Amino acid sequence: MNEKDLELAGKTGRFARQFPQVWQEYQDWLRAIVSSREQLQQRYSKGLASLIFRWRLLYFAIYIVAMAGCKTLVQSRNQLSTRQGDRDKALDLGQTENATQSLQINSTYFILQRIATLLAVAELTLCGLAALTGVMLAFYYQPTAIGAHASLYAIAYQITNGNLILSLHNIAGNGLIVLALVQIVVMFLGRQFMRYWLTAWISGICLALATISLSWTAIILNWDQVGFWRFKIELSIIGSLPAGSFLREVLAGGSAINTLTLQHMYTLHSYVLAIAALLLSIVHLAAHIFQEKSWAQIAPGSWCSSEDTSTV
């Protein structure tokens, strides 16, 4: 670890001291991050170790600011409640809230961990449902400029239960995007820095990107006017980026939007991105299950075990 990383750790500590209401509570976390430098150097290359170390410092700083803001809001609410009513009753109420609040803080992270695990189960379920209905739709869908719209019309109005399968496929895909984004927020609030935090974070972010990409590649598959012109506009935006002309030709299969473009998007949607999303959802759920097992080994009221703290 170079001197710049140590200097950055010092700046992070000085920044955190500006929030004394949370600094006393979280300063051990920063010490654990700094003490993990030797382990990072032994396990990873120099560049990757420095990247992980800086990411942990950034996460620590963001978390300190968030917790300081929450404590400020709680204190403001308590002050408003104290001004109302009798002073003695308000004092007794404040003591009761402090006692219950300490218990809630100890259980909040476990509750958020359980919510993240349940969301991972829901993501895998929706991903499996989307994959199953996608396979059923593939028996009748024709990825050609002439047959795409007609085949979807036949699925919706002529094939038995075809409209139901198509609707389930769309609902599962859209629901998967929502849950993947909500999962990232829950993981941030739950302070997922236990033994398998890196796997859960990377798989969760990649799953969110994969689901958004699945939705984007499905724009042209309907082969209607809205999807055609929207896809054409977005392709022109991609072409204006650095090296965008090459990427545009790879996606479109040439300069024009035709059957080859539809086949490229169908291949990306049905094979590459769908398989990637299914594997990522499995890895994501497995990471949260391992975190659940780690929580079972933690003593009640503690935030992390000594083994997990060494990896923070």
Side-chain angles (χ1 to χ4, degrees):
M1 204 74 63
N2 53 35
E3 296 180 356
K4 292 184 178 180
D5 293 334
L6 295 177
E7 183 180 354
L8 182 60
K11 292 181 180 179
T12 304
R14 290 190 294 271
F15 172 77
R17 291 189 184 93
Q18 299 178 7
F19 306 96
Q21 65 272 28
V22 294
W23 167 245
Q24 296 296 330
E25 189 175 0
Y26 291 100
Q27 57 182 341
D28 292 336
W29 183 10
L30 181 60
R31 294 192 186 98
I33 294 176
V34 176
S35 63
S36 66
R37 293 181 297 116
E38 296 181 358
Q39 296 181 1
L40 292 175
Q41 290 177 342
Q42 295 174 0
R43 295 176 58 183
Y44 305 104
S45 61
K46 182 178 180 181
L48 183 58
S50 178
L51 180 62
I52 295 175
F53 182 76
R54 294 185 179 186
W55 158 249
R56 291 177 176 178
L57 292 177
L58 177 61
Y59 190 96
F60 172 79
I62 296 175
Y63 197 87
I64 286 293
V65 174
M67 292 302 297
C70 292
K71 286 183 177 293
T72 302
L73 291 176
V74 172
Q75 292 176 358
S76 300
R77 185 192 63 179
N78 292 337
Q79 290 176 358
L80 290 176
S81 63
T82 303
R83 293 174 183 174
Q84 298 174 355
D86 184 70
R87 179 177 299 179
D88 295 334
K89 293 181 179 180
L91 180 59
D92 294 337
L93 180 61
Q95 293 176 351
T96 304
E97 288 182 353
N98 290 333
T100 56
Q101 190 178 34
S102 61
L103 295 175
Q104 291 176 354
I105 291 175
N106 291 331
S107 60
T108 298
Y109 297 108
F110 176 76
I111 294 174
L112 290 173
Q113 171 61 57
R114 181 56 57 85
I115 293 175
T117 304
L118 294 177
L119 286 175
V121 173
E123 288 174 351
L124 180 58
T125 303
L126 289 179
C127 191
L129 179 62
L132 178 61
T133 53
V135 171
M136 298 174 68
L137 293 174
F139 283 104
Y140 301 96
Y141 180 74
Q142 299 178 13
T144 60
I146 299 177
H149 186 74
S151 61
L152 285 177
Y153 181 85
I155 291 172
Y157 298 102
Q158 298 178 6
I159 298 174
T160 305
N161 297 324
N163 191 25
L164 175 63
I165 296 173
L166 184 60
S167 299
L168 287 176
H169 186 73
N170 294 331
I171 293 173
N174 295 328
L176 188 58
I177 296 176
V178 174
L179 289 184
L181 296 176
V182 172
Q183 178 73 300
I184 295 176
V185 177
V186 173
M187 289 173 62
F188 176 80
L189 296 177
R191 187 188 171 197
Q192 302 302 312
F193 268 86
M194 298 180 64
R195 185 181 304 171
Y196 301 97
W197 67 271
L198 184 61
T199 304
W201 267 106
I202 294 178
S203 59
I205 294 175
C206 291
L207 178 60
L209 295 176
T211 55
I212 295 174
S213 299
L214 280 168
S215 177
W216 184 79
T217 53
I219 293 174
I220 196 66
L221 297 183
N222 291 333
W223 201 252
D224 54 3
Q225 290 292 329
V226 176
F228 178 87
W229 291 109
R230 179 183 172 186
F231 186 75
K232 187 173 182 179
I233 293 172
E234 294 183 2
L235 273 184
S236 62
I237 296 175
I238 293 175
S240 62
L241 299 175
S245 299
F246 173 76
L247 182 59
R248 184 187 184 282
E249 291 184 1
V250 171
L251 294 174
S255 58
I257 300 177
N258 48 30
T259 299
L260 187 59
T261 305
L262 192 61
Q263 292 175 350
H264 283 195
M265 292 296 102
Y266 179 74
T267 301
L268 289 174
H269 181 86
S270 301
Y271 298 102
V272 179
L273 294 175
I275 295 175
L278 186 60
L279 294 177
L280 287 171
S281 61
I282 294 174
V283 173
H284 190 64
L285 177 59
H288 282 287
I289 291 175
F290 280 117
Q291 286 184 349
E292 288 278 351
K293 293 182 179 179
S294 299
W295 268 108
Q297 300 174 359
I298 298 176
S302 63
W303 286 14
C304 58
S305 61
S306 59
E307 181 180 359
D308 294 329
T309 304
S310 63
T311 61
V312 176

Short mmCIF file of all heavy atoms in Angstrom, two decimals, residues 86-132:
data_model
loop_
_atom_site.label_atom_id
_atom_site.label_comp_id
_atom_site.label_asym_id
_atom_site.label_seq_id
_atom_site.Cartn_x
_atom_site.Cartn_y
_atom_site.Cartn_z
N ASP A 86 -45.79 18.17 29.37
CA ASP A 86 -45.10 18.32 30.64
C ASP A 86 -43.65 17.90 30.53
O ASP A 86 -43.32 16.93 29.84
CB ASP A 86 -45.84 17.48 31.70
CG ASP A 86 -45.24 17.66 33.07
OD1 ASP A 86 -45.40 18.75 33.66
OD2 ASP A 86 -44.58 16.71 33.53
N ARG A 87 -42.73 18.60 31.25
CA ARG A 87 -41.30 18.32 31.16
C ARG A 87 -40.97 16.95 31.73
O ARG A 87 -40.16 16.22 31.19
CB ARG A 87 -40.53 19.40 31.89
CG ARG A 87 -39.02 19.19 31.88
CD ARG A 87 -38.28 20.31 32.55
NE ARG A 87 -38.52 21.57 31.88
CZ ARG A 87 -38.01 22.74 32.28
NH1 ARG A 87 -37.25 22.77 33.38
NH2 ARG A 87 -38.26 23.84 31.61
N ASP A 88 -41.58 16.57 32.82
CA ASP A 88 -41.29 15.28 33.43
C ASP A 88 -41.74 14.12 32.54
O ASP A 88 -41.03 13.13 32.38
CB ASP A 88 -41.96 15.17 34.80
CG ASP A 88 -41.40 16.18 35.78
OD1 ASP A 88 -40.22 16.58 35.59
OD2 ASP A 88 -42.12 16.58 36.71
N LYS A 89 -42.94 14.25 31.96
CA LYS A 89 -43.43 13.20 31.08
C LYS A 89 -42.56 13.08 29.84
O LYS A 89 -42.28 11.99 29.35
CB LYS A 89 -44.87 13.47 30.68
CG LYS A 89 -45.85 13.36 31.85
CD LYS A 89 -47.26 13.62 31.38
CE LYS A 89 -48.25 13.50 32.53
NZ LYS A 89 -49.65 13.74 32.09
N ALA A 90 -42.14 14.25 29.33
CA ALA A 90 -41.27 14.24 28.15
C ALA A 90 -39.93 13.59 28.47
O ALA A 90 -39.35 12.88 27.64
CB ALA A 90 -41.05 15.66 27.64
N LEU A 91 -39.42 13.82 29.70
CA LEU A 91 -38.16 13.21 30.10
C LEU A 91 -38.30 11.70 30.20
O LEU A 91 -37.44 10.94 29.74
CB LEU A 91 -37.71 13.80 31.44
CG LEU A 91 -36.38 13.26 32.00
CD1 LEU A 91 -35.25 13.53 31.01
CD2 LEU A 91 -36.08 13.89 33.34
N ASP A 92 -39.40 11.23 30.81
CA ASP A 92 -39.63 9.79 30.90
C ASP A 92 -39.78 9.17 29.53
O ASP A 92 -39.29 8.07 29.24
CB ASP A 92 -40.88 9.51 31.74
CG ASP A 92 -40.70 9.94 33.19
OD1 ASP A 92 -39.52 10.02 33.62
OD2 ASP A 92 -41.71 10.20 33.85
N LEU A 93 -40.48 9.88 28.64
CA LEU A 93 -40.65 9.38 27.28
C LEU A 93 -39.32 9.29 26.55
O LEU A 93 -39.05 8.34 25.81
CB LEU A 93 -41.62 10.29 26.51
CG LEU A 93 -41.91 9.90 25.05
CD1 LEU A 93 -42.54 8.52 24.99
CD2 LEU A 93 -42.81 10.94 24.40
N GLY A 94 -38.44 10.32 26.77
CA GLY A 94 -37.13 10.29 26.12
C GLY A 94 -36.29 9.14 26.61
O GLY A 94 -35.58 8.49 25.84
N GLN A 95 -36.35 8.83 27.92
CA GLN A 95 -35.59 7.70 28.44
C GLN A 95 -36.10 6.39 27.86
O GLN A 95 -35.33 5.49 27.55
CB GLN A 95 -35.68 7.69 29.97
CG GLN A 95 -34.98 8.87 30.64
CD GLN A 95 -35.17 8.88 32.14
OE1 GLN A 95 -35.97 8.11 32.67
NE2 GLN A 95 -34.44 9.77 32.81
N THR A 96 -37.41 6.27 27.72
CA THR A 96 -37.98 5.05 27.15
C THR A 96 -37.56 4.89 25.69
O THR A 96 -37.21 3.80 25.22
CB THR A 96 -39.51 5.08 27.26
OG1 THR A 96 -39.87 5.25 28.62
CG2 THR A 96 -40.11 3.78 26.73
N GLU A 97 -37.57 6.02 24.96
CA GLU A 97 -37.18 5.95 23.55
C GLU A 97 -35.71 5.59 23.41
O GLU A 97 -35.33 4.84 22.50
CB GLU A 97 -37.45 7.31 22.88
CG GLU A 97 -38.92 7.58 22.66
CD GLU A 97 -39.15 8.90 21.95
OE1 GLU A 97 -38.14 9.63 21.77
OE2 GLU A 97 -40.29 9.18 21.58
N ASN A 98 -34.86 6.13 24.30
CA ASN A 98 -33.44 5.78 24.24
C ASN A 98 -33.21 4.31 24.50
O ASN A 98 -32.37 3.67 23.86
CB ASN A 98 -32.65 6.62 25.25
CG ASN A 98 -32.59 8.08 24.85
OD1 ASN A 98 -32.67 8.40 23.67
ND2 ASN A 98 -32.47 8.97 25.84
N ALA A 99 -33.97 3.75 25.47
CA ALA A 99 -33.80 2.33 25.77
C ALA A 99 -34.25 1.46 24.61
O ALA A 99 -33.58 0.49 24.24
CB ALA A 99 -34.59 1.98 27.04
N THR A 100 -35.39 1.81 24.01
CA THR A 100 -35.88 1.00 22.89
C THR A 100 -35.06 1.23 21.64
O THR A 100 -34.91 0.33 20.82
CB THR A 100 -37.35 1.36 22.62
OG1 THR A 100 -37.45 2.77 22.38
CG2 THR A 100 -38.23 0.98 23.80
N GLN A 101 -34.53 2.46 21.49
CA GLN A 101 -33.74 2.77 20.29
C GLN A 101 -32.45 1.96 20.26
O GLN A 101 -32.02 1.51 19.20
CB GLN A 101 -33.44 4.26 20.26
CG GLN A 101 -32.83 4.72 18.94
CD GLN A 101 -32.60 6.21 18.93
OE1 GLN A 101 -32.28 6.80 19.96
NE2 GLN A 101 -32.75 6.82 17.79
N SER A 102 -31.83 1.77 21.44
CA SER A 102 -30.59 0.98 21.48
C SER A 102 -30.85 -0.46 21.07
O SER A 102 -30.03 -1.10 20.41
CB SER A 102 -30.00 1.03 22.89
OG SER A 102 -30.90 0.48 23.83
N LEU A 103 -32.02 -0.99 21.47
CA LEU A 103 -32.37 -2.35 21.07
C LEU A 103 -32.67 -2.42 19.58
O LEU A 103 -32.34 -3.40 18.90
CB LEU A 103 -33.58 -2.84 21.87
CG LEU A 103 -33.37 -3.00 23.38
CD1 LEU A 103 -34.68 -3.38 24.06
CD2 LEU A 103 -32.29 -4.03 23.67
N GLN A 104 -33.31 -1.37 19.06
CA GLN A 104 -33.65 -1.37 17.63
C GLN A 104 -32.40 -1.29 16.76
O GLN A 104 -32.33 -1.92 15.71
CB GLN A 104 -34.58 -0.20 17.32
CG GLN A 104 -35.97 -0.36 17.92
CD GLN A 104 -36.83 0.86 17.68
OE1 GLN A 104 -36.37 1.88 17.16
NE2 GLN A 104 -38.09 0.79 18.09
N ILE A 105 -31.39 -0.53 17.21
CA ILE A 105 -30.17 -0.41 16.42
C ILE A 105 -29.47 -1.75 16.31
O ILE A 105 -28.95 -2.12 15.25
CB ILE A 105 -29.24 0.66 17.05
CG1 ILE A 105 -29.85 2.05 16.87
CG2 ILE A 105 -27.86 0.61 16.43
CD1 ILE A 105 -29.07 3.15 17.55
N ASN A 106 -29.46 -2.52 17.41
CA ASN A 106 -28.79 -3.81 17.39
C ASN A 106 -29.47 -4.80 16.45
O ASN A 106 -28.82 -5.71 15.92
CB ASN A 106 -28.75 -4.40 18.81
CG ASN A 106 -27.84 -3.61 19.72
OD1 ASN A 106 -26.88 -3.01 19.25
ND2 ASN A 106 -28.14 -3.59 21.00
N SER A 107 -30.78 -4.65 16.28
CA SER A 107 -31.51 -5.59 15.43
C SER A 107 -31.78 -5.06 14.03
O SER A 107 -32.23 -5.81 13.16
CB SER A 107 -32.85 -5.94 16.09
OG SER A 107 -33.64 -4.77 16.26
N THR A 108 -31.50 -3.77 13.79
CA THR A 108 -31.81 -3.18 12.48
C THR A 108 -31.02 -3.84 11.37
O THR A 108 -31.56 -4.17 10.31
CB THR A 108 -31.53 -1.67 12.50
OG1 THR A 108 -32.38 -1.05 13.47
CG2 THR A 108 -31.79 -1.07 11.13
N TYR A 109 -29.71 -4.06 11.62
CA TYR A 109 -28.87 -4.60 10.57
C TYR A 109 -29.23 -6.05 10.24
O TYR A 109 -29.15 -6.46 9.08
CB TYR A 109 -27.40 -4.50 10.99
CG TYR A 109 -26.96 -3.07 11.16
CD1 TYR A 109 -26.72 -2.55 12.42
CD2 TYR A 109 -26.81 -2.24 10.06
CE1 TYR A 109 -26.34 -1.24 12.57
CE2 TYR A 109 -26.43 -0.92 10.21
CZ TYR A 109 -26.20 -0.42 11.48
OH TYR A 109 -25.83 0.87 11.63
N PHE A 110 -29.63 -6.81 11.25
CA PHE A 110 -30.08 -8.17 10.97
C PHE A 110 -31.37 -8.17 10.17
O PHE A 110 -31.56 -8.99 9.27
CB PHE A 110 -30.26 -8.95 12.27
CG PHE A 110 -30.81 -10.33 12.06
CD1 PHE A 110 -30.00 -11.35 11.57
CD2 PHE A 110 -32.13 -10.62 12.33
CE1 PHE A 110 -30.51 -12.61 11.36
CE2 PHE A 110 -32.65 -11.88 12.13
CZ PHE A 110 -31.83 -12.89 11.65
N ILE A 111 -32.27 -7.24 10.51
CA ILE A 111 -33.53 -7.16 9.76
C ILE A 111 -33.27 -6.79 8.30
O ILE A 111 -33.86 -7.37 7.38
CB ILE A 111 -34.47 -6.13 10.43
CG1 ILE A 111 -34.89 -6.63 11.82
CG2 ILE A 111 -35.69 -5.87 9.56
CD1 ILE A 111 -35.69 -5.62 12.61
N LEU A 112 -32.37 -5.82 8.09
CA LEU A 112 -32.04 -5.44 6.71
C LEU A 112 -31.36 -6.59 5.98
O LEU A 112 -31.59 -6.79 4.77
CB LEU A 112 -31.13 -4.21 6.73
CG LEU A 112 -31.79 -2.90 7.15
CD1 LEU A 112 -30.76 -1.80 7.27
CD2 LEU A 112 -32.86 -2.49 6.14
N GLN A 113 -30.53 -7.37 6.68
CA GLN A 113 -29.91 -8.53 6.06
C GLN A 113 -30.97 -9.55 5.65
O GLN A 113 -30.90 -10.14 4.57
CB GLN A 113 -28.92 -9.17 7.04
CG GLN A 113 -28.37 -10.51 6.59
CD GLN A 113 -27.62 -10.41 5.30
OE1 GLN A 113 -26.66 -9.65 5.20
NE2 GLN A 113 -28.04 -11.14 4.29
N ARG A 114 -31.96 -9.78 6.52
CA ARG A 114 -33.01 -10.72 6.18
C ARG A 114 -33.85 -10.21 4.98
O ARG A 114 -34.24 -10.99 4.11
CB ARG A 114 -33.91 -10.93 7.39
CG ARG A 114 -35.04 -11.92 7.18
CD ARG A 114 -34.55 -13.29 6.70
NE ARG A 114 -33.58 -13.87 7.60
CZ ARG A 114 -33.90 -14.59 8.68
NH1 ARG A 114 -35.17 -14.78 8.99
NH2 ARG A 114 -32.96 -15.12 9.43
N ILE A 115 -34.11 -8.89 4.95
CA ILE A 115 -34.83 -8.32 3.81
C ILE A 115 -34.03 -8.51 2.52
O ILE A 115 -34.59 -8.85 1.47
CB ILE A 115 -35.11 -6.83 4.06
CG1 ILE A 115 -36.11 -6.66 5.21
CG2 ILE A 115 -35.66 -6.16 2.79
CD1 ILE A 115 -36.35 -5.22 5.61
N ALA A 116 -32.70 -8.29 2.59
CA ALA A 116 -31.86 -8.47 1.40
C ALA A 116 -31.90 -9.92 0.93
O ALA A 116 -31.93 -10.19 -0.28
CB ALA A 116 -30.42 -8.05 1.72
N THR A 117 -31.91 -10.87 1.86
CA THR A 117 -31.98 -12.28 1.48
C THR A 117 -33.31 -12.60 0.82
O THR A 117 -33.37 -13.31 -0.20
CB THR A 117 -31.77 -13.18 2.70
OG1 THR A 117 -30.53 -12.85 3.33
CG2 THR A 117 -31.75 -14.64 2.31
N LEU A 118 -34.40 -12.08 1.38
CA LEU A 118 -35.71 -12.31 0.78
C LEU A 118 -35.81 -11.67 -0.60
O LEU A 118 -36.43 -12.24 -1.52
CB LEU A 118 -36.80 -11.76 1.71
CG LEU A 118 -36.95 -12.46 3.06
CD1 LEU A 118 -38.00 -11.76 3.91
CD2 LEU A 118 -37.30 -13.93 2.88
N LEU A 119 -35.22 -10.48 -0.76
CA LEU A 119 -35.21 -9.86 -2.08
C LEU A 119 -34.41 -10.69 -3.08
O LEU A 119 -34.77 -10.79 -4.26
CB LEU A 119 -34.63 -8.44 -1.98
CG LEU A 119 -35.52 -7.38 -1.35
CD1 LEU A 119 -34.76 -6.07 -1.20
CD2 LEU A 119 -36.77 -7.17 -2.19
N ALA A 120 -33.30 -11.29 -2.62
CA ALA A 120 -32.51 -12.15 -3.51
C ALA A 120 -33.31 -13.37 -3.94
O ALA A 120 -33.22 -13.82 -5.10
CB ALA A 120 -31.22 -12.57 -2.80
N VAL A 121 -34.11 -13.93 -3.01
CA VAL A 121 -34.98 -15.06 -3.36
C VAL A 121 -36.01 -14.62 -4.40
O VAL A 121 -36.29 -15.33 -5.38
CB VAL A 121 -35.66 -15.62 -2.11
CG1 VAL A 121 -36.69 -16.69 -2.48
CG2 VAL A 121 -34.62 -16.20 -1.16
N ALA A 122 -36.61 -13.45 -4.19
CA ALA A 122 -37.60 -12.93 -5.13
C ALA A 122 -36.97 -12.67 -6.50
O ALA A 122 -37.59 -12.93 -7.55
CB ALA A 122 -38.24 -11.66 -4.58
N GLU A 123 -35.74 -12.16 -6.50
CA GLU A 123 -35.06 -11.90 -7.77
C GLU A 123 -34.82 -13.20 -8.54
O GLU A 123 -35.04 -13.26 -9.75
CB GLU A 123 -33.73 -11.20 -7.51
CG GLU A 123 -33.88 -9.76 -7.08
CD GLU A 123 -32.55 -9.14 -6.68
OE1 GLU A 123 -31.55 -9.86 -6.59
OE2 GLU A 123 -32.52 -7.91 -6.46
N LEU A 124 -34.37 -14.23 -7.83
CA LEU A 124 -34.15 -15.52 -8.50
C LEU A 124 -35.46 -16.10 -9.01
O LEU A 124 -35.51 -16.68 -10.10
CB LEU A 124 -33.47 -16.49 -7.53
CG LEU A 124 -33.17 -17.89 -8.08
CD1 LEU A 124 -32.26 -17.80 -9.31
CD2 LEU A 124 -32.52 -18.75 -7.01
N THR A 125 -36.54 -15.92 -8.24
CA THR A 125 -37.85 -16.42 -8.67
C THR A 125 -38.32 -15.71 -9.93
O THR A 125 -38.77 -16.36 -10.89
CB THR A 125 -38.88 -16.23 -7.55
OG1 THR A 125 -38.43 -16.90 -6.36
CG2 THR A 125 -40.23 -16.79 -7.96
N LEU A 126 -38.22 -14.38 -9.94
CA LEU A 126 -38.63 -13.63 -11.13
C LEU A 126 -37.74 -13.94 -12.32
O LEU A 126 -38.22 -14.01 -13.46
CB LEU A 126 -38.61 -12.13 -10.83
CG LEU A 126 -39.69 -11.61 -9.89
CD1 LEU A 126 -39.53 -10.12 -9.66
CD2 LEU A 126 -41.08 -11.91 -10.44
N CYS A 127 -36.45 -14.12 -12.07
CA CYS A 127 -35.53 -14.45 -13.15
C CYS A 127 -35.88 -15.81 -13.76
O CYS A 127 -35.88 -15.99 -14.98
CB CYS A 127 -34.09 -14.43 -12.64
SG CYS A 127 -32.85 -14.50 -13.93
N GLY A 128 -36.19 -16.79 -12.89
CA GLY A 128 -36.60 -18.10 -13.38
C GLY A 128 -37.91 -18.05 -14.13
O GLY A 128 -38.09 -18.73 -15.16
N LEU A 129 -38.86 -17.23 -13.63
CA LEU A 129 -40.15 -17.08 -14.32
C LEU A 129 -39.96 -16.44 -15.69
O LEU A 129 -40.57 -16.87 -16.68
CB LEU A 129 -41.09 -16.25 -13.46
CG LEU A 129 -42.48 -15.97 -14.05
CD1 LEU A 129 -43.23 -17.27 -14.28
CD2 LEU A 129 -43.28 -15.05 -13.12
N ALA A 130 -39.12 -15.40 -15.76
CA ALA A 130 -38.86 -14.76 -17.05
C ALA A 130 -38.18 -15.72 -18.02
O ALA A 130 -38.49 -15.73 -19.22
CB ALA A 130 -38.00 -13.52 -16.84
N ALA A 131 -37.25 -16.52 -17.51
CA ALA A 131 -36.56 -17.48 -18.37
C ALA A 131 -37.52 -18.56 -18.88
O ALA A 131 -37.50 -18.94 -20.06
CB ALA A 131 -35.40 -18.12 -17.62
N LEU A 132 -38.39 -19.06 -17.98
CA LEU A 132 -39.34 -20.11 -18.37
C LEU A 132 -40.34 -19.61 -19.41
O LEU A 132 -40.57 -20.26 -20.44
CB LEU A 132 -40.07 -20.62 -17.13
CG LEU A 132 -41.14 -21.70 -17.38
CD1 LEU A 132 -40.52 -22.94 -18.00
CD2 LEU A 132 -41.85 -22.04 -16.08
#
